[in-house]
Amino acid sequence: DGGITQSPKYLFRKEGQNVTLSCEQNLNHDAMYWYRQDPGQGLRLIYYSQIVNDFQKGDIAEGYSVSREKKESFPLTVTSAQKNPTAFYLCASSIKRANRNRNQPQHFGDGTRLSIL
Amino acid sequence: AQSVTQLGSHVSVSEGALVLLRCNYSSSVPPYLFWYVQYPNQGLQLLLKYTSAATLVKGINGFEAEFKKSETSFHLTKPSAHMRDAAEYFCAVYEAAGNKLTFGGGTRVLVKP
């Protein structure tokens, strides 16, 4: 079955530590996205990528970094500069929309919950 | 930039009662709109999407939404709530600049027996 796999499901970070969240998709989608979800705040876009080796900052990119070396993979690193990393992180992917297919949805993984030790 | 407003962060309904979740959008061009559902500790699942082919859109699990351009709304309804409908619901609008979605703040639905 095609889909998006996020790992691990739960992750703990120590003070001053960088951690990397994995996101892999086998949907052959060009575009991938990372969101942060906090209670009562909906989803906020961290980074997104429309094509391999290219990515753009979203609304809350500070303290995060990404890479897109392969079409299937879009890992997110939460750096020590992110002072409040405790949240639920969601990865999504979609086809690269053109005018005729703007109604194509994003597909989501099951998330990674990050907590501070 | 486009925006989405969901009125009411929490909604409580009795089992068998109507579910109505409100979504208003701002868009300078014809919008592409989506409703997603999220169950605890899971990702988002697509409920339905507005494709401009019809103003009343039917989705999964008995949900439907009506697009009203004059009111810039895309409210989600279900005639009869079931316990399994307890979840958080998100409305989203597509932004061509950046090929991305902008989400509303979400509405958490509680279903009382």
Side-chain angles (χ1 to χ4, degrees):
Chain A
D1 285 341
I4 300 177
T5 301
Q6 289 188 243
S7 61
K9 191 166 181 66
Y10 299 96
L11 187 58
F12 297 92
R13 195 191 88 168
K14 297 179 181 178
E15 292 290 337
Q17 184 182 43
N18 293 353
V19 292
T20 297
L21 285 60
S22 171
C23 178
E24 304 278 332
Q25 55 98 359
N26 60 5
L27 299 167
N28 199 32
H29 285 169
D30 290 300
M32 297 187 74
Y33 310 81
W34 273 106
Y35 295 92
R36 171 179 172 140
Q37 187 176 22
D38 296 280
Q41 295 196 41
L43 278 72
R44 293 183 289 170
L45 185 63
I46 305 173
Y47 268 99
Y48 58 107
S49 168
Q50 303 299 312
I51 195 169
V52 174
N53 292 323
D54 189 36
F55 48 83
Q56 292 77 38
K57 293 182 179 180
D59 301 317
I60 56 165
E62 186 174 352
Y64 300 96
S65 66
V66 294
S67 63
R68 186 86 188 275
E69 297 177 1
K70 298 187 300 182
K71 186 176 184 178
E72 303 79 17
S73 178
F74 192 41
L76 174 73
T77 296
V78 184
T79 75
S80 57
Q82 173 49 246
K83 298 306 181 187
N84 184 23
T86 298
F88 190 51
Y89 291 87
L90 286 163
C91 179
S93 72
S94 73
I95 65 171
K96 192 172 181 181
R97 295 178 182 86
N99 285 337
R100 63 182 181 277
N101 58 6
R102 291 185 176 185
N103 61 355
Q104 295 306 307
Q106 289 183 8
H107 299 257
F108 285 80
D110 281 338
T112 293
R113 188 166 298 279
L114 176 62
S115 303
I116 296 297
L117 285 177
Chain B
Q2 300 183 52
S3 65
V4 177
T5 302
Q6 292 184 240
L7 291 177
S9 59
H10 292 80
V11 168
S12 182
V13 299
S14 297
E15 193 172 17
L18 172 72
V19 180
L20 170 60
L21 305 182
R22 300 180 185 274
C23 172
N24 288 88
Y25 66 91
S26 69
S27 174
S28 58
V29 296
Y32 292 84
L33 297 158
F34 304 83
W35 273 101
Y36 284 87
V37 60
Q38 184 182 34
Y39 299 101
N41 293 312
Q42 293 186 23
L44 276 65
Q45 299 176 29
L46 181 68
L47 271 180
L48 49 82
K49 62 183 180 182
Y50 171 64
T51 64
S52 76
T55 57
L56 185 63
V57 182
K58 294 189 182 298
I60 62 171
N61 301 341
F63 284 92
E64 62 183 32
E66 186 173 11
F67 173 72
K68 291 187 176 180
K69 184 178 179 180
S70 61
E71 299 178 6
T72 61
S73 69
F74 191 53
H75 301 332
L76 182 71
T77 60
K78 181 173 180 176
S80 177
H82 191 276
M83 296 300 291
R84 63 173 173 262
D85 296 326
E88 190 157 19
Y89 294 80
F90 292 93
C91 183
V93 63
Y94 172 71
E95 289 200 42
N99 185 33
K100 53 193 175 83
L101 295 179
T102 295
F103 286 85
T107 299
R108 186 171 297 278
V109 173
L110 172 66
V111 182
K112 299 176 292 184

